[in-house]
Amino acid sequence: MGLIPVNSILPDESLPDSPASIDFSTGLPKLPQALAFISQSIRQHTKAQSIGIVSLFVPPTPPLYRITAEAARQLRAELTERLVKALREQDRLYSLSNWEWLIVLPSLVSAAPLTLAMMKVRGVLGDPFETLDGDSLELETYCGGSLWPDDGDDAFYLVQSARIARLHAARSGVGTLSYQRPMETIEAGQARFQKDLQRALAGSEDGSMGIYLQPLVNLTGSACVGAEALLRWWRGEGNYVPPHHIIAALEKLGLRHNFTRWLLNQAMQAISALTKAGIEIPLSVNLSASDLLDAELPDLVTQILAMWDVPPHRLSLEITETMMVEETPQVTEVLRRLHQLGLALAIDDFGTGYAGMSYLQRLPVEEVKIDQRFVRQAVGTKRDREIIASIIQLSHRLNLTVVAEGVENQETADMLWSLGCDLAQGYLYAPAMPLDEFIAWCRRRGDISPLS
Ligand code: C2E
Ligand code: CA
Ligand code: CA
């Protein structure tokens, strides 16, 4: 296809052309000419008119890696030709690298035409390309745009801003985005957060992340019969990061698997320490929704139990009711295998989702934890008391143990006891505590076997 002589893409007059300043396969000028043109336009423009800058990128895909060098050159030339046809006469097109183009749109009246131009660019590249090898190839494309004077006064800064916007367009999957300053602050913040999280999970000795234990007590005699492991992280200068925030970030960063392994190891360490202290209670661990979609979870649990020589009945897993609404054959299979291993499964936050009692009948669970929102209001609200009463009745009919969460005062504990609830957890007894404090708490109460 050769060079494309189009007047709208001629290099800027102020820079002499040399072979190094022209892209061979597209015939387009490169970054230095783009910067010169943008700078010149800025000097000549009044701020009533804007200059738009668009970074266009075609990410590599398996078929793109497979085509011959000649076919790739032809493809880039054809793509350039399509762009040239789509642009206005005053627009300029540049080649920044093999698969990156820069478009400069002078004399825009507002930000809206920039968005429209990006959509048009992606539109014309949406149809498949015929390659020299005779294949039909569909290309992915991403566009990011920046605007003078809104996004900066310097040509290079504006080009980089358009590239930053394009990176966000690719990551978010939306295809086109205009630059916004928070894209960078979020970016820098996220990178630091990710690094800190990875460091914490790698088990570096700073000990900033760990689990705390909250007791589960028997409502009839207040004996501690179990504990729940709750995630705690003080990041950097003592900044507490709530568990939900950590879990959401882990999913986004693809670290969920590392975390589950880390969490189970922490739980094993705690169970071993409790055994040594003569406290032979089960410890429950919260699973994340995607853990249940992981067919390897039962194998991981088996390995870790064997490694720490912990009997399965000392570990219990909590899954929230909302996770169960997504019940699929994979989820049911994972639960069935976990149950077969001899672990107890508990449904957490019961009453908030839509799963309802029918799920309880089908799933291999042993325990139901009534959500603390009901529990905390139950003393003053008849309706919440009735909900609790019916959950307890139905659960007992299915031979399930019922735990009430968020028990903050004696009045609530008495009410739960009168309704026949089995276990309670909440600030009335103790908050989640570091392991050594938990052991000391059990010792003070006498919840300890005579062996210790
Ligand atoms: P959850 O499993 O329902 O945990 C109970 C939450 O209630 C904990 O908050 C606990 O500190 C708090 N709590 C306990 N007693 C009381 C009380 O009497 N009154 C009040 N107001 N709150 C009480 P936390 O530790 O902030 O955890 C919040 C949620 O984060 C947990 O809810 C759980 O869904 C999730 N989470 C915590 N640790 C982990 C973990 O290791 N893995 C996963 N996947 N999720 C976790
Ligand atoms: Ca829980
Ligand atoms: Ca809960």
Side-chain angles (χ1 to χ4, degrees), residues 228 286 318 348-349 369-372 405:
E228 175 174 2
N286 291 280
E318 296 191 9
D348 201 0
D349 302 343
K369 299 186 83 171
I370 305 174
D371 192 71
Q372 43 182 292
E405 299 183 315

Side-chain angles (χ1 to χ4, degrees), residues 347-413:
I347 302 265
D348 201 0
D349 302 343
F350 194 78
T352 53
Y354 304 95
M357 301 306 283
S358 62
Y359 280 80
L360 290 186
Q361 238 166 338
R362 291 212 303 279
L363 295 173
V365 294
E366 279 76 28
E367 196 172 274
V368 169
K369 299 186 83 171
I370 305 174
D371 192 71
Q372 43 182 292
R373 268 166 283 182
F374 297 112
V375 176
R376 277 191 266 139
Q377 295 162 19
V379 171
T381 322
K382 191 162 169 266
R383 204 180 122 72
D384 285 324
R385 252 194 330 273
E386 281 167 358
I387 292 175
I388 293 177
S390 59
I391 294 176
I392 294 172
Q393 274 170 19
L394 282 162
S395 303
H396 281 171
R397 228 178 279 163
L398 297 170
N399 272 332
L400 303 171
T401 305
V402 184
V403 186
E405 299 183 315
V407 179
E408 293 184 349
N409 51 54
Q410 193 58 48
E411 210 183 346
T412 309

